[in-house]
Amino acid sequence: MVKKIGVVIAILIAGVLVYAAILPGTFRIERSTSIKAPPEKIYPLINDFHRWEAWSPWEKIDPAVKRSYLGAESGKGAVYIWMGNKEIGHGSMKIIESTRSSNGLSKIECMKPFEAHNTVEFTLERQGDAAKVTQAMYGPSPFVSRLVGLFCSMDKMVGQKFEEGLASLKAIAEK
């Protein structure tokens, strides 16, 4: 009987591992909102890491986070480095592409609480007197991430933070 239970458990574990192995090797998380402001008013809030403190939900998780900024003041070449508590860890973001009032790409390098090398993208589309603002993050999904993703939705966790950040960005831009 114990042997049969052991075989069943081994088969279940093997099944979970095989399933995780065949999941896609990349991911994309994306959220959008409409902001009643022109892209020219919204974009500087995104394109300047110094202004993220006002709207980024990650900034509120650790009020004692240590920040430093390198490179350009804003736009392409601007770098933001953070060292925080165990929830936000430490890492850096670098703006690698900045198109005036329409889009921006940043490379995000997380070292702790887990290592990740992804791309964060913002796009702004004018829609009459408003703008559709989309925040996305995409990158590789290593085996361990896929395995953890079976039990904990990265889209739900990170997507919720994107929604919070976009709501804060909206509140500031619509003032």
Side-chain angles (χ1 to χ4, degrees), residues 33 35 45 52-57 60 161-175:
T33 194
I35 299 178
L45 298 168
W52 282 43
E53 255 185 272
W55 63 267
S56 172
K60 294 165 183 57
K161 291 297 181 197
F162 282 6
E163 290 166 9
E164 291 172 20
L166 290 169
S168 294
L169 189 63
K170 178 181 178 111
I172 292 167
E174 289 182 350
K175 280 184 182 176

Side-chain angles (χ1 to χ4, degrees), residues 6-28:
V7 169
V8 169
I9 290 172
I11 290 171
L12 288 174
I13 291 171
V16 168
L17 294 174
V18 168
Y19 183 68
I22 63 172
L23 289 173
T26 60
F27 77 94
R28 182 177 180 91

Side-chain angles (χ1 to χ4, degrees), residues 31-35 127 131-135 166-167 169-170:
R31 298 294 190 272
S32 297
T33 194
S34 179
I35 299 178
Q127 296 180 330
K132 178 182 177 187
V133 180
T134 302
Q135 182 178 10
L166 290 169
L169 189 63
K170 178 181 178 111

Side-chain angles (χ1 to χ4, degrees), residues 35-38 126-131:
I35 299 178
K36 290 189 185 230
R126 186 179 300 277
Q127 296 180 330
D129 65 344

Side-chain angles (χ1 to χ4, degrees), residues 25-164:
T26 60
F27 77 94
R28 182 177 180 91
I29 299 167
E30 183 177 300
R31 298 294 190 272
S32 297
T33 194
S34 179
I35 299 178
K36 290 189 185 230
E40 297 80 18
K41 183 175 180 184
I42 303 164
Y43 197 67
L45 298 168
I46 297 167
N47 200 43
D48 182 349
F49 288 134
H50 298 91
R51 299 183 75 181
W52 282 43
E53 255 185 272
W55 63 267
S56 172
W58 283 278
E59 295 284 340
K60 294 165 183 57
I61 293 172
D62 180 6
V65 65
K66 294 181 177 97
R67 302 172 191 84
S68 56
Y69 304 93
L70 302 171
E73 189 69 20
S74 65
K76 187 175 181 178
V79 177
Y80 169 54
I81 300 167
W82 72 91
M83 276 193 109
N85 62 20
K86 66 180 181 176
E87 289 182 67
I88 66 168
H90 70 84
S92 66
M93 286 184 75
K94 179 179 184 177
I95 298 176
I96 59 170
E97 184 180 304
S98 177
T99 306
R100 186 174 166 90
S101 300
S102 66
N103 71 27
L105 283 179
S106 298
K107 285 289 184 188
I108 182 167
E109 306 288 331
C110 296
M111 305 323 275
K112 287 187 178 178
F114 53 86
E115 189 172 345
H117 308 280
N118 301 313
T119 302
V120 175
E121 176 181 39
F122 284 92
T123 56
L124 288 80
E125 296 175 49
R126 186 179 300 277
Q127 296 180 330
D129 65 344
K132 178 182 177 187
V133 180
T134 302
Q135 182 178 10
M137 182 169 66
Y138 53 89
S141 185
F143 177 74
V144 172
S145 295
R146 289 179 272 165
L147 186 59
V148 170
L150 293 175
F151 306 99
C152 179
S153 171
M154 189 166 138
D155 184 82
K156 186 176 179 181
M157 287 188 320
V158 175
Q160 180 183 358
K161 291 297 181 197
F162 282 6
E163 290 166 9
E164 291 172 20

